[in-house]
């Protein structure tokens, strides 16, 4: 840790800059010391005010180990999602989509219980209660229609259609958030929606209810991502 200090033009204020860490992952914090006496009196027995960390100049995740962990986490997430969808297909024979959604949320709460016991309700405090309510309602609707789709349509077909969610999210962000997309992302959108059309095959086979529910769930996922983007 290194400290560098200098007086500001404001009276009785000494600014220090503390640097933590080495050449990688370095963070800096600005510290202000308010002296009790005049600036030239040599007394610095004031209080300290820690401001927010300054942006780091080092990349957040450029190490190969960090990238490997990210890939591993994504693979585990995909495995968990596939396993969950397979189990959902099995239990959908006897349970209504509303019941499946309820128990899924209930068991998720049990998994989060240790964090609530450790940190309490403090992390749940927010100033965006309205957006959180909207996001929760949209997410609940999306889960119900997706579970309904898995119950009445082939697993492979609904899984493939569910991948259109990020495509809807990109399209909505472009329309409503005015995000600029480059040509390669436009090509990816065209290819992705073309793949969805190949799966649905409109005009050659009947557009069944399962496909409609799957696309509705994916579209809802895109709206949810848009709300989260606005919140952050």
């Amino acid at each position: 840790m290194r400290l560098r200090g200098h007086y500001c033009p404001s009276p009785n204020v000494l600014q220090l800059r503390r640097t933590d860490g080495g050449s990688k992952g370095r963070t800096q914090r600005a510290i202000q010391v308010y002296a009790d006496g005049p600036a030239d009196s040599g007394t610095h027995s004031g209080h300290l005010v820690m401001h927010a960390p300054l942006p780091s100049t080092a990349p957040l995740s450029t190490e190969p180990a960090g990238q490997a962990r990210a890939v591993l986490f994504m693979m585990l997430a995909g495995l968990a999602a596939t396993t969950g969808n397979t189990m959902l297909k099995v239990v959908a024979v006897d349970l209504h989509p509303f019941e499946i959604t309820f128990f899924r949320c209930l068991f998720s709460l049990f998994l989060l219980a240790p964090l609530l016991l450790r940190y309490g309700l403090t992390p749940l405090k927010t100033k965006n209660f309205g957006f959180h309510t909207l996001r929760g309602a949209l997410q609940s609707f999306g889960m119900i229609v997706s579970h309904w789709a898995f119950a009445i349509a082939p697993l492979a077909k609904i899984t493939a259609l569910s991948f259109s969610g990020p495509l809807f999210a990109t399209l909505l962000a472009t329309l409503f958030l005015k995000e600029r997309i480059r040509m390669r992302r436009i090509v990816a959108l065209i290819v992705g929606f073309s793949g969805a059309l190949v799966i649905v095959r409109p005009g050659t086979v009947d557009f069944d209810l399962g496909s409609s529910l799957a696309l509705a769930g994916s579209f809802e996922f895109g709206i949810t991502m848009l709300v989260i983007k606005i919140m952050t």
Side-chain angles (χ1 to χ4, degrees):
M1 181 182 71
R2 294 182 299 174
L3 287 175
R4 295 181 180 178
H6 64 277
Y7 281 105
C8 296
S10 303
N12 304 337
V13 177
L14 172 66
Q15 275 196 351
L16 300 177
R17 187 177 299 274
R18 190 181 77 178
T19 303
D20 298 318
S23 58
K24 294 183 178 180
R26 177 177 297 175
T27 59
Q28 295 182 338
R29 294 178 181 270
I31 307 174
Q32 288 185 348
V33 181
Y34 295 83
D36 294 334
D40 55 352
S41 64
T43 60
H44 308 295
S45 57
H47 58 279
L48 296 179
V49 179
M50 296 295 296
H51 294 279
L54 299 177
S56 174
T57 56
L60 294 178
S61 178
T62 57
E63 298 181 358
Q67 296 178 357
R69 284 195 299 268
V71 172
L72 177 61
F73 290 153
M74 289 300 298
M75 293 176 62
L76 292 176
L79 177 62
T82 303
T83 305
N85 292 336
T86 304
M87 297 174 63
L88 189 153
K89 185 70 175 178
V90 175
V91 300
V93 177
D94 301 318
L95 294 178
H96 193 273
F98 284 93
E99 295 178 284
I100 298 175
T101 303
F102 171 78
F103 285 111
R104 181 176 180 178
C105 295
L106 180 63
F107 292 140
S108 299
L109 181 61
F110 288 156
L111 293 176
L112 293 176
L115 296 178
L116 294 177
L117 293 176
R118 180 175 181 180
Y119 299 105
L121 298 179
T122 302
L124 299 180
K125 293 182 179 179
T126 178
K127 297 180 180 179
N128 295 323
F129 184 79
F131 277 113
H132 278 292
T133 303
L134 176 61
R135 187 203 61 80
L138 291 172
Q139 191 69 30
S140 299
F141 172 78
M143 291 174 63
I144 291 173
V145 297
S146 297
H147 294 165
W148 191 1
F150 277 108
I152 64 177
L155 179 63
K157 182 177 184 179
I158 303 304
T159 302
L161 289 176
S162 65
F163 287 120
S164 62
L167 303 179
F168 286 116
T170 303
L171 183 61
L172 291 173
T174 304
L175 295 176
F176 294 99
L177 299 183
K178 306 303 180 182
E179 291 188 358
R180 299 179 60 183
I181 57 175
R182 298 181 179 180
M183 181 57 64
R184 58 184 181 183
R185 186 170 297 183
I186 296 176
V187 173
L189 285 174
I190 295 175
V191 173
F193 282 114
S194 300
L197 292 177
V198 170
I199 297 173
V200 176
R201 290 183 293 172
T204 59
V205 296
D206 294 334
F207 194 67
D208 57 295
L209 179 60
S211 299
S212 302
L213 292 173
L215 290 176
S218 298
F219 183 72
E220 180 280 328
F221 174 82
I223 299 177
T224 302
M225 294 298 103
L226 185 68
V227 173
I228 294 175
K229 180 67 175 179
I230 295 174
M231 291 170 56
T232 55

